[in-house]
Amino acid sequence: MADGVTPYPAWDGTLSNKSRLGVITANEVRLAFRNTWSMIAIGLGLAWGFASIIEFYQIRQGGAAIHGWDGFTSMLDQLLWFALFVAATVGGPTLLEDARGGALELYLSRSVNRFEYLGGKVLAVLLLTTLIVALPAVVYWGASYVFYEEHPENWAMAPLGAFGYALMWGLMASGLALGLSSVGRSASGAALGLLGGFAALAFIVDPPGIFAGMAPLPELTADLRYTVLSPFAAFEQQKEWLFDLAAPHAFPYWWGLVYWAALTVLGWLLVAFRHPRARGEEHGRL
């Protein structure tokens, strides 16, 4: 005689309504540290930042009694490239690979809604991109009080300005990276499109360092106002109000602010309206 089959007992406890936003964010950060390219981007950015701090210490050992803003702001400008690299390598694949691999349907079949899924991805990319600039800046500022007794004017406000600088760049870079991930056909294409586009604009209108005499359109670069077309130059001009320093370029800072805002809005609009959706779900709705 067959054993009796008993029904599965009903759950008698409480159901969790806890948001999964933090779980998804933490998981994306872990994945970033497991991916070769994003790990290289993060490692190089942090290494470059801390190398700047070592150089700062060596200047003190050379006998300098007071430091200025130049070393600090130069480090921030260099870190923008690494932050862009992080945004491209972390944000470029994240949405596109989920859509291709069917991971989105897996997420939404669990106790995760679309806003938690997308919010977790956004927070992870924004957090990593921002910290690549902000973390070395805070350590540099703290180290200055160990190395030096005299500081430049308004130095106490440097961390606040650096955080604003890092967050603004993070918002633009991560928005564009995730936006390209939403509309791109390949992860590598999305990442290279972001890096290549920024590098091309910078080289055409504001060639850096050793490339200064190699501008492909010298008639364009002869008028320094066109430097605003470089996202890096446009953003560097924001030092005028973030740090109360002299503007490094020949155009008003608000030109660069408008350019930054346009790129930032473009990226986040792509994310809002073109982010991957579960198969069968209509595009064009939030």
Side-chain angles (χ1 to χ4, degrees):
M1 183 175 179
D3 292 335
V5 178
T6 58
Y8 190 82
W11 173 251
D12 195 26
T14 57
L15 298 176
S16 173
N17 292 320
K18 183 178 178 181
S19 172
R20 299 299 186 269
L21 182 66
V23 175
I24 296 172
T25 302
N27 183 62
E28 287 303 306
V29 171
R30 282 195 297 269
L31 290 175
F33 280 96
R34 292 177 184 172
N35 179 275
T36 301
W37 287 108
S38 59
M39 190 61 197
I40 289 173
I42 294 168
L44 285 175
L46 293 177
W48 191 273
F50 288 106
S52 299
I53 297 168
I54 294 172
E55 183 181 7
F56 183 45
Y57 170 71
Q58 290 172 339
I59 293 172
R60 177 67 180 94
Q61 291 298 98
I66 187 171
H67 67 94
W69 281 94
D70 290 348
F72 184 69
T73 56
S74 176
M75 179 189 71
L76 292 179
D77 293 343
Q78 293 161 2
L79 288 174
L80 297 182
W81 286 93
F82 294 101
L84 185 69
F85 190 13
V86 171
T89 54
V90 178
T94 184
L95 298 179
L96 185 58
E97 293 298 326
D98 279 358
R100 286 190 162 190
L104 180 57
E105 285 80 5
L106 181 61
Y107 272 110
L108 297 181
S109 68
R110 308 290 180 175
S111 57
V112 176
N113 62 44
R114 192 193 323 161
F115 296 100
E116 290 173 340
Y117 162 78
L118 196 59
K121 301 282 186 176
V122 165
L123 283 176
V125 180
L126 179 60
L127 178 66
L128 291 171
T129 305
T130 301
L131 283 180
I132 288 298
V133 179
L135 184 59
V138 171
V139 175
Y140 186 108
W141 177 80
S144 71
Y145 286 94
V146 177
F147 301 157
Y148 294 87
E149 294 183 1
E150 297 182 54
H151 308 281
E153 188 178 358
N154 297 325
W155 185 245
M157 300 301 294
L160 184 61
F163 180 75
Y165 202 67
L167 182 59
M168 286 177 66
W169 186 259
L171 283 168
M172 179 179 66
S174 56
L176 288 171
L178 290 166
L180 290 174
S181 182
S182 299
V183 299
R185 294 178 178 269
S186 72
S188 58
L192 290 174
L194 179 61
L195 289 170
F198 272 54
L201 284 170
F203 183 76
I204 290 172
V205 299
D206 185 33
I210 60 173
F211 302 108
M214 301 170 58
L217 298 173
E219 63 279 3
L220 180 65
T221 55
D223 188 340
L224 297 179
R225 292 175 299 177
Y226 287 111
T227 306
V228 71
L229 296 176
S230 165
F232 294 98
F235 193 73
E236 290 164 9
Q237 200 76 338
Q238 308 317 306
K239 296 172 192 170
E240 182 176 343
W241 62 275
L242 281 170
F243 299 106
D244 195 22
L245 299 174
H249 300 288
F251 54 86
Y253 79 87
W254 63 267
W255 287 16
L257 193 59
V258 169
Y259 191 26
W260 166 83
L263 291 176
T264 302
V265 169
L266 172 63
W268 291 113
L269 283 177
L270 288 175
V271 175
F273 291 101
R274 299 297 299 167
H275 66 269
R277 290 168 168 79
R279 291 179 177 86
E281 186 178 2
E282 183 183 351
H283 249 302
R285 295 183 293 122
L286 288 175

